[in-house]
Amino acid sequence: MLSGLSWPWLALLMAAGIALDLLLGEARRWHPLVGFGNLAKRIEGALNRAPALRLRGLLAWALAVLPGVALATWIIQLAPWWLACLLHAGLLYFCIGLRSLREHAIPIALALARGDLASARILTSYIVSRDTREAGEADLAKAGVESLLENGNDAVFGTLFWFAVAGGPGALLFRLSNTLDAMWGYRNERFFYFGWAAARIDDALNWAPARLTAFSYAWLGDHRRALACWKEQAPAWSSPNAGPVMAAGAGALGLALGGAAIYDGEVEHRPPLGRGAPAQGADIVRAWRLVAMSTALWLAAAWALAAISFGVFHA
């Protein structure tokens, strides 16, 4: 195991990191990811110019991500064991975003429940890039559910997967890479070549977590429909990882998602996701519960592996 931690310690520290996130939430001031975002903007401003944009983009990714991950690894290796454990748990806390998902999504459901479309539109605009200014209840509910399902993987399960592989530095590697993909991974004139490395590296790091996330959603919902939607619908999505996650999640919830959405004033017809009824405001709460239960499932799996590891070691 790259982290140097045994499964019992990993399970314990994973639980500690999740508990810190649920208890404290994201740091309101001086959040490390905010500072990282500012650093990434400066690096992009210096390097995003011809020639060799793809090579420059790879160099920019390395300059933004690798020093922090290497420093975290070095400090943990030199620290006493008790401090190393605190650092592992602390890095997971700063990298995971379970409570943040709830804090951003549930208020949308509450606004829709009281018929406050104006507030729901503003709240939804904080978590999606589509245009919500004229969106109706069904469009807002659909956007909220889709965001929860996709970001469950990006903000929670990808981080937990790489924490299990490489401890706190692994979680940091994934979170920083995912953040750069969100900043640079656009297929527009500015980032089409420069952001190529950030997008492809994030795809690679996300491949296994996304499929485990899709299996988790399927396991905890309508698994036959979820697996069928994953098989039939995911290949139509341009993202190799968002497709399985969102198709399986929509199928597990018995919802029909995807379809038309407005981006930059243009209607984009996206492939379908799931099967069933259109999303309503209450389905945002159902999607949150699916993410929360999946987190509990991952934590239970970590503890099961810890028990097996402990039993084998002491047999």
Side-chain angles (χ1 to χ4, degrees):
M1 194 167 294
L2 297 178
S3 65
L5 296 168
S6 64
W7 266 111
W9 277 109
L10 269 173
L12 180 63
L13 295 175
M14 185 181 293
I18 293 172
L20 284 171
D21 174 67
L22 292 176
L23 180 65
L24 303 176
E26 289 187 339
R28 302 300 181 186
R29 300 176 63 185
W30 302 305
H31 194 291
L33 288 180
V34 175
F36 175 76
N38 293 330
L39 172 65
K41 289 178 182 178
R42 290 195 292 270
I43 292 174
E44 186 257 332
L47 292 179
N48 189 5
R49 61 191 66 180
L53 279 174
R54 286 189 177 181
L55 183 60
R56 286 172 174 265
L58 178 60
L59 175 61
W61 182 93
L63 289 174
V65 173
L66 296 184
V69 175
L71 179 62
T73 303
W74 179 70
I75 292 174
I76 286 174
Q77 289 179 342
L78 293 180
W81 70 269
W82 60 269
L83 180 56
C85 288
L86 291 177
L87 292 171
H88 280 297
L91 283 170
L92 178 59
Y93 158 64
F94 279 116
C95 292
I96 201 169
L98 181 60
R99 176 169 164 172
S100 177
L101 288 182
R102 186 185 187 281
E103 289 179 342
H104 283 88
I106 297 302
I108 301 171
L110 296 176
L112 291 175
R114 62 177 182 264
D116 187 355
L117 276 181
S119 294
R121 287 166 178 159
I122 294 172
L123 291 167
T124 306
S125 71
Y126 295 155
I127 63 172
V128 298
S129 57
R130 69 192 72 177
D131 189 344
T132 64
R133 288 173 295 181
E134 303 297 328
E137 178 180 355
D139 294 323
L140 296 171
K142 178 173 67 173
V145 171
E146 290 178 359
S147 178
L148 271 170
L149 294 176
E150 182 175 10
N151 286 301
N153 177 68
D154 290 345
V156 180
F157 303 114
T159 302
L160 292 179
F161 176 88
W162 283 102
F163 182 81
V165 172
L172 183 62
L173 170 67
F174 176 81
R175 197 72 173 111
L176 297 185
S177 178
N178 188 252
T179 300
L180 286 187
D181 177 56
M183 296 180 67
W184 299 347
Y186 294 100
R187 297 183 178 181
N188 55 24
E189 183 178 356
R190 179 176 177 180
F191 291 112
F192 189 85
Y193 294 106
F194 181 82
W196 175 86
R200 296 292 78 78
I201 292 171
D202 182 68
D203 285 345
L205 293 176
N206 236 328
W207 192 92
R211 280 141 190 85
L212 290 173
T213 301
F215 272 119
S216 301
Y217 290 165
W219 181 272
L220 294 168
D222 186 330
H223 58 275
R224 290 186 178 180
R225 176 163 43 192
L227 294 175
C229 292
W230 176 359
K231 179 180 178 181
E232 297 166 8
Q233 298 171 344
W237 279 74
S238 58
S239 169
N241 298 318
V245 168
M246 296 171 72
L253 293 169
L255 297 175
L257 304 176
I262 300 176
Y263 293 89
D264 298 323
E266 301 288 336
V267 177
E268 181 178 317
H269 296 280
R270 304 168 305 151
L273 294 167
R275 287 198 296 267
Q280 299 179 354
D283 293 315
I284 296 176
V285 179
R286 293 178 61 224
W288 155 251
R289 288 174 180 164
L290 182 61
V291 173
M293 289 190 300
S294 296
T295 305
L297 178 64
W298 280 51
L299 191 55
W303 279 102
L305 288 169
I308 293 171
S309 172
F310 187 81
V312 170
F313 181 78
H314 290 276

